[in-house]
Amino acid sequence: MIEKTEKIWMDGDLIPWDDAKVHILTHTLHYGLGVFEGIRCYETADGPVLFRVREHIERLFKSAKIFLIEIPYSEEEIEEAIIETVRANGMRQCYIRPLVYIGYGAMGLYPKGNPVRLAIAVWPWGTYLGDEGLKQGIRVKTSSFIRNHVNSSMSRGKVCGYYVNSQLAKKEAISCGYDEALLLDTEGYVSEGSGENIFVVRDGRLKTTPLTSILEGITRDSIISLARDEGIEVAEERFTRDEVYISDEAFFTGTAAEVTPIREVDGRVIGDGRPGRITRRLQDVFFSIVRGENSRYRGWLTPV
Ligand code: PPE
């Protein structure tokens, strides 16, 4: 169970947590078309900050655009609402979930005239794949479920219904005793985790999946920038699962997962089975940024 907070923002009002309810005929609940974001708020010496909130809000609007959903708020209004919700709950550090969904009205696949609604919830969310996972690395299984074809799920959208595919993969991985799933694309190349982007390191060079079948991760983008600033070469090119098996290091990135080392894939130990040198270095830089200890990337932080 997640830990309750006080208030949830719903269509302009802050509602007590237990009263934040929707009608059972809410369109998105039946058909899966809603778009959402996941944003982290971190504690710094100067108070709480939102990590790359503008980029997250922009992505929310892009997701909506792809699916012809008109969000009845401006980007500025949503940023204000997020800040208001974090403040109202007195959070110093939390996860933020804005959700745009199609409300109650018509049923069937053409919800003409149904209201487009927005909710913003916040809750404390520690490490996504466990404290131990963040420190020592996780065990990953290549999924028997593939990422949807790019013309079935347009992966630049962060859409509720896509996570059915992710959950199949995640459940399979867990039932086989692993921590997380790695999905391949329809051509058999590595795509992404159930809720993370993937990086591998070979000979000091970083490689990540190009933007085809994956979500355009904001953490992925941050890691690419800061790795290049650290003088590490980064390539966005396709690779196969066997390249992951023989990589020196591998890690997942995501808002929830942050930078999580991968220590094993399908029974193959990655590197020496411990988080590698480059992974640890990028983790250190990443966490120094979000804690407000790295002035170079101050622009990524928005004070609450
Ligand atoms: N791929 C997928 C499929 C994905 O869901 C995420 C985020 C990413 C990549 C990384 O994107 P970014 O957060 O912008 O770096 N997954 C979100 C949902 C996790 C959940 O379980 O809910 C997240 O990390 O917030």
Side-chain angles (χ1 to χ4, degrees), residues 36-39 56 59 95 97 125 128 147 158 163 166 192-197 214-220 253-257:
F36 69 100
E37 272 305 319
I39 306 165
H56 280 284
R59 190 172 65 186
Y95 184 82
R97 169 56 53 82
W125 214 0
Y128 187 58
R147 261 278 173 260
K158 192 167 170 64
Y163 288 84
S166 285
E192 60 182 346
S194 71
E196 309 89 359
N197 294 120
I214 62 165
L215 182 71
E216 220 173 309
I218 291 162
T219 321
R220 173 188 179 279
T253 62
T255 299

Side-chain angles (χ1 to χ4, degrees), residues 153-201:
S153 297
M154 293 168 282
S155 65
R156 273 173 183 68
K158 192 167 170 64
V159 175
C160 301
Y162 290 0
Y163 288 84
V164 171
N165 175 246
S166 285
Q167 288 179 77
L168 280 171
K170 181 93 185 188
K171 285 184 183 194
E172 179 188 55
I174 303 272
S175 71
C176 293
Y178 289 86
D179 304 308
E180 184 53 287
L182 174 63
L183 290 100
L184 307 178
D185 66 19
T186 45
E187 290 179 81
Y189 292 92
V190 169
S191 178
E192 60 182 346
S194 71
E196 309 89 359
N197 294 120
I198 187 170
F199 285 81
V200 293
V201 181

